[in-house]
Amino acid sequence: MARMCVKTQRLDVARICLGHMGHARGAKALREAEQEPEQEARVAVLAIQLGMLEDAEWLYKACKRYDLLNKFYQASNQWQKAIETAEAHDRVHLRTTHYNYAKHLEATGQQSLALTHFEKSDTHRFEIPRMLSEDLQALENYINKMKDKSLWKWWAQYLESQSDMESALKYYELAQDYFSLVRVHCFQGNIQKAAEIANETGNGAASYHLARQYESQEDIRQAVHFYSRAQAFNNAIRLCKANNLDDQLMNLALLSSPEDMIEAACYYEEKGDQMDRAVMLYHKAGHLSKALELAFATQQFGTLQLIAEDLDEKSDPALLARCSGFFIEHAQYEKAMELLLTAKKYHEALQLCLEQNLTITEELAEKMTVPKESQDLSEESRRELLEQIADCCMRQGNYHVATKKYTQAGNKLKAMRALLKSGDTEKIIFFAGVSRQREIYIMAANYLQSLDWRKDAKIIANIISFYTKGGALDLLAGFYDACAQVEIEEYQNYEKAHRALTEAYKCLSKAKARSPVEQESKLGHLQSRISLIKRFIHAQRVYPEDTEEAVRQCELLLAEQNFDDAIRHGDVLGFLVQHYAQVEEFHTAYRYLEEMQKRIPASNLSYYVSPQIMEAVHRGAGIPMSRALARAHTGHGSTDNREEEEVADEVQDP
């Protein structure tokens, strides 16, 4: 029935059967197998207990429990299958399998084969010396063949225990066990050779052992040297203190732990004649308060500067204040200000900056800026501090930093004023765009209008945009008026000037004026100018088709009272001179040319009438050109006062 339970995998029935059979060992094995998660693995345990080995092997393979299959093969003395299973499916237990097989081979007297499997299990360094301990010659041959440092070291230790020191030294050297080499040489009294080995190899244990030897022989300097090589600085410091080796003590203490540094610092402090070393060691050990106390007491200014660099916001505020006071006394104001800022004494730092006229760099301004989430100052105090920093930057001409601090303080108007002083056009345009305040728009537009905007369309567009956004239509009207003047004076483009003045009229009519009477007066004046310019444009346009009408309009324009405000005399008169020269009415042309000479400087005449036409008019009228006109046309002037007076006379009386 129990065997049938293996086939049917009914373990519950199998337990009853084993109970009736009185198979206590099997029942125990089956109970222990219940912890296995696979059903087949539990049934395999039952099969083993019933001698059904083939079934057990099949069940372990079926559930892929190769670890249990490996153990099964080992227990059933199937070592080759166990190794193959471990290599293929259970590599985690491969070395253990080799080791167990090696132990089995050793037990059966097969030592040569056991050697191989001990090596494969990586336990040969201690198992083989144990196994061959009765056959020393075989063990020595094996060690020499393997060339393994651990085995060489083991064999050297064995030889040393047998008092064969020369052979032991040989194997210690092969194993590169420098500590044991030094130890044996010291034992033999060959301390010089031991020192050479320790110096060449730098081995810490060897150096420490050698230092102990030198100390026992009271060779202090050599002992200190090898303690240092072994990094046993506390021992080296102990010897230096006991033997007044102050210079070496300082070097060793700097390489040692903070505890050793403090111990050495106390030593220097007690001696009293090398306080600078004591301060340095306290500082290096992190004992800043003690270092500062000694530095203050002994007035070590340079050392104080070094120590102050390590102070941070976690340091004692009283200590920071004391250090800053010391630096102020010695006119080290920048260092003092940094310490005040570290101690979060922002107002004191700013006051020091103002008193000593220290330049506030961008980096320093950032250090003086209190974060919004800080608990050190209220929001109102924080804003006030930022404005004070910005005011100081303004006085120093650091306008960009001032702008930033005013902005952080929420005062955008002052920020804009600072930015305007910097003259950074791109930043001014950007700041005005992001601020979105009427006053700032107007300020930016006013600034841009002070530039050479005539040659930059982008600046013109920004001026118009800012005045529009700022609701300053009266100022925008003034800008359009200026644009019209530029078009007339520089380009003689009356059509563009007419468009600009029309825009100016529109803006001014929409603007909210303080004085309606004054606004009406300006609008009337603008309308008059627009009308005059329109008439002149009309004359220029109809000239090719109706010459008489064009000339009549120009002559009527010359009779207008406010003519000068809208159109330049030179443009109208030049137009008439050119016309009469073309129709060969030279005397009429000369009359208008005379009028031009009365109103316009001789040097500017060529701007309105070409030299060729001017010569043709004089030649046609039979009148020689005056010297002033001739000199103006040839581009030559005189710096002589007498000649200038003659030219003026000729212009007035040609």
Side-chain angles (χ1 to χ4, degrees):
M1 180 68 74
R3 285 174 173 272
M4 186 60 74
C5 289
V6 173
K7 303 295 184 184
T8 60
Q9 298 190 7
R10 288 294 300 274
L11 294 178
D12 52 343
V13 177
R15 290 191 193 92
I16 297 170
C17 293
L18 290 174
H20 286 303
M21 291 167 63
H23 200 319
R25 185 180 63 191
K28 180 186 178 185
L30 193 59
R31 187 167 59 251
E32 291 174 351
E34 288 179 357
Q35 64 183 357
E36 300 297 341
E38 298 87 357
Q39 175 75 5
E40 291 88 346
R42 295 195 291 270
V43 175
V45 173
L46 175 62
I48 291 170
Q49 294 300 321
L50 296 174
M52 302 169 69
L53 300 182
E54 291 182 2
D55 293 277
E57 182 180 358
W58 180 84
L59 286 165
Y60 280 137
K61 288 180 179 178
C63 67
K64 297 184 179 180
R65 286 300 300 272
Y66 296 108
D67 55 332
L68 297 176
L69 180 62
N70 186 1
K71 288 182 180 179
F72 167 74
Y73 283 142
Q74 291 181 42
S76 59
N77 212 22
Q78 300 181 62
W79 290 103
Q80 198 58 40
K81 284 188 176 181
I83 290 172
E84 289 172 0
T85 302
E87 287 177 343
H89 306 290
D90 189 29
R91 295 195 65 84
V92 71
H93 295 119
L94 179 60
R95 285 176 55 188
T96 306
T97 305
H98 279 297
Y99 178 76
N100 291 336
Y101 187 33
K103 294 289 286 184
H104 169 74
L105 292 170
E106 182 185 359
T108 58
Q110 303 179 61
Q111 285 190 344
S112 59
L113 195 55
L115 285 174
T116 303
H117 287 281
F118 274 134
E119 289 171 4
K120 288 182 179 179
S121 69
D122 201 27
T123 58
H124 62 286
R125 293 178 183 83
F126 50 87
E127 288 294 344
I128 291 177
R130 176 193 57 75
M131 184 176 72
L132 299 178
S133 59
E134 300 297 327
D135 188 354
L136 294 178
Q137 187 59 48
L139 178 57
E140 184 176 2
N141 292 339
Y142 176 79
I143 289 170
N144 288 329
K145 183 187 75 170
M146 290 300 293
K147 296 181 180 179
D148 186 281
K149 289 183 180 180
S150 298
L151 291 173
W152 277 333
K153 182 176 179 180
W154 186 93
W155 186 241
Q157 289 172 338
Y158 172 77
L159 292 172
E160 185 182 354
S161 69
Q162 300 299 312
S163 300
D164 188 356
M165 297 301 182
E166 293 303 319
S167 299
L169 285 171
K170 171 189 169 186
Y171 282 100
Y172 277 135
E173 189 170 355
L174 287 172
Q176 295 181 351
D177 186 355
Y178 302 117
F179 165 65
S180 296
L181 278 172
V182 168
R183 179 174 52 76
V184 172
H185 279 304
C186 288
F187 174 76
Q188 292 180 325
N190 193 0
I191 198 165
Q192 188 60 37
K193 179 64 176 176
E196 290 176 8
I197 294 170
N199 280 323
E200 287 174 7
T201 63
N203 184 270
S207 297
Y208 185 83
H209 182 81
L210 192 56
R212 293 290 299 274
Q213 293 293 319
Y214 277 121
E215 185 179 357
S216 66
Q217 296 176 10
E218 297 186 356
D219 190 343
I220 303 303
R221 292 194 175 276
Q222 287 288 1
V224 168
H225 169 72
F226 284 105
Y227 275 134
S228 303
R229 297 278 318 241
Q231 295 189 0
F233 297 114
N234 54 344
N235 283 308
I237 288 170
R238 171 176 55 79
L239 288 179
C240 288
K241 286 169 61 179
N243 294 276
N244 295 319
L245 300 175
D246 292 351
D247 293 336
Q248 283 183 272
L249 173 61
M250 185 65 187
N251 295 331
L252 291 167
L254 290 171
L255 296 171
S256 190
S257 65
E259 293 79 8
D260 292 333
M261 288 183 192
I262 291 174
E263 184 181 342
C266 292
Y267 168 79
Y268 284 123
E269 187 180 358
E270 288 172 5
K271 290 193 75 171
D273 57 346
Q274 299 183 59
M275 299 301 283
D276 56 332
R277 291 183 173 181
V279 171
M280 185 185 296
L281 289 172
Y282 278 130
H283 176 211
K284 290 283 286 183
H287 202 338
L288 296 181
S289 57
K290 183 67 176 175
L292 285 169
E293 183 182 337
L294 277 181
F296 279 126
T298 55
Q299 294 290 301
Q300 295 183 43
F301 180 68
T303 309
L304 264 174
Q305 283 188 308
L306 293 174
I307 298 171
E309 289 176 2
D310 290 344
L311 295 174
D312 55 26
E313 61 275 3
K314 296 178 183 177
S315 304
D316 182 8
L319 198 63
L320 291 167
R322 188 176 175 192
C323 279
S324 63
F326 178 82
F327 284 121
I328 290 171
E329 288 176 12
H330 291 81
Q332 295 288 314
Y333 302 115
E334 292 182 2
K335 196 66 188 174
M337 188 161 59
E338 286 183 15
L339 290 173
L340 287 171
L341 291 173
T342 304
K344 298 182 179 178
K345 295 184 179 296
Y346 303 105
H347 290 287
E348 291 86 340
L350 182 59
Q351 188 60 36
L352 177 63
C353 185
L354 293 170
E355 289 174 359
Q356 303 301 330
N357 197 24
L358 300 177
T359 302
I360 299 181
T361 62
E362 187 171 359
E363 182 183 359
L364 188 56
E366 289 305 314
K367 288 182 180 179
M368 297 172 78
T369 302
V370 184
K372 279 188 177 181
E373 62 277 4
S374 175
Q375 303 297 321
D376 300 317
L377 289 176
S378 65
E379 183 61 22
E380 185 180 349
S381 299
R382 176 181 167 276
R383 289 174 180 273
E384 183 183 345
L385 176 63
L386 283 168
E387 287 213 26
Q388 289 175 356
I389 296 168
D391 291 342
C392 189
C393 290
M394 282 288 286
R395 284 195 289 272
Q396 294 176 357
N398 197 346
Y399 301 119
H400 285 295
V401 177
T403 301
K404 186 176 182 180
K405 295 303 137 187
Y406 279 133
T407 306
Q408 289 174 342
N411 195 333
K412 291 186 178 180
L413 283 175
K414 281 192 173 181
M416 189 61 177
R417 291 192 188 103
L419 198 55
L420 290 173
K421 287 196 173 185
S422 73
D424 192 330
T425 304
E426 287 188 10
K427 287 188 177 179
I428 289 168
I429 293 170
F430 175 78
F431 187 80
V434 298
S435 296
R436 298 183 180 180
Q437 288 188 13
R438 179 178 179 275
E439 296 86 348
I440 291 177
Y441 281 135
I442 295 171
M443 289 165 69
N446 289 342
Y447 165 78
L448 293 176
Q449 202 171 345
S450 69
L451 304 177
D452 188 9
W453 50 267
R454 300 162 186 81
K455 298 177 182 178
D456 194 334
K458 184 180 176 182
I459 293 179
I460 293 173
N462 278 309
I463 292 171
I464 295 169
S465 172
F466 289 154
Y467 276 140
T468 305
K469 290 176 180 178
L473 296 177
D474 54 339
L475 296 175
L476 181 57
F479 176 66
Y480 277 125
D481 195 343
C483 289
Q485 288 300 115
V486 169
E487 293 298 337
I488 292 170
E489 291 174 4
E490 295 191 10
Y491 306 107
Q492 293 179 295
N493 193 330
Y494 282 90
E495 291 189 4
K496 282 189 177 181
H498 179 266
R499 289 199 294 271
L501 287 175
T502 303
E503 290 296 326
Y505 184 85
K506 289 178 183 178
C507 292
L508 192 59
S509 62
K510 293 177 184 177
K512 295 179 181 179
R514 295 178 183 176
S515 172
V517 176
E518 185 181 349
Q519 185 178 20
E520 286 300 322
S521 172
K522 287 181 179 178
L523 285 169
H525 184 62
L526 268 176
Q527 187 62 52
S528 172
R529 290 170 63 195
I530 291 169
S531 177
L532 290 170
I533 290 173
K534 191 174 181 181
R535 287 168 61 187
F536 184 53
I537 293 170
H538 175 70
Q540 288 177 320
R541 285 177 179 172
V542 301
Y543 179 76
E545 300 171 359
D546 191 349
T547 306
E548 291 182 3
E549 172 64 17
V551 172
R552 188 177 68 81
Q553 286 291 339
C554 288
E555 289 174 343
L556 288 172
L557 283 172
L558 289 173
E560 292 287 344
Q561 290 182 350
N562 297 326
F563 173 75
D564 289 344
D565 292 341
I567 305 169
R568 294 184 300 182
H569 277 91
D571 290 327
V572 179
L573 292 170
F575 181 85
L576 293 171
V577 169
Q578 189 170 352
H579 163 70
Y580 285 116
Q582 285 178 352
V583 298
E584 297 184 354
E585 293 185 21
F586 296 111
H587 288 283
T588 307
Y590 182 74
R591 180 166 54 81
Y592 282 118
L593 189 61
E594 280 185 310
E595 191 172 346
M596 281 182 73
Q597 290 176 19
K598 292 176 183 177
R599 296 176 178 273
I600 301 165
S603 59
N604 293 344
L605 286 176
S606 60
Y607 185 74
Y608 302 102
V609 180
S610 67
Q612 293 82 3
I613 291 175
M614 207 175 292
E615 289 176 8
V617 169
H618 279 82
R619 190 168 54 250
I623 301 170
M625 287 183 69
S626 66
R627 252 197 324 156
L629 288 175
R631 296 177 72 84
H633 291 169
T634 56
H636 299 293
S638 173
T639 57
D640 185 81
N641 292 333
R642 184 179 54 77
E643 289 187 5
E644 287 178 359
E645 290 172 3
E646 290 177 2
V647 169
D649 293 338
E650 289 176 2
V651 170
Q652 291 172 4
D653 187 18

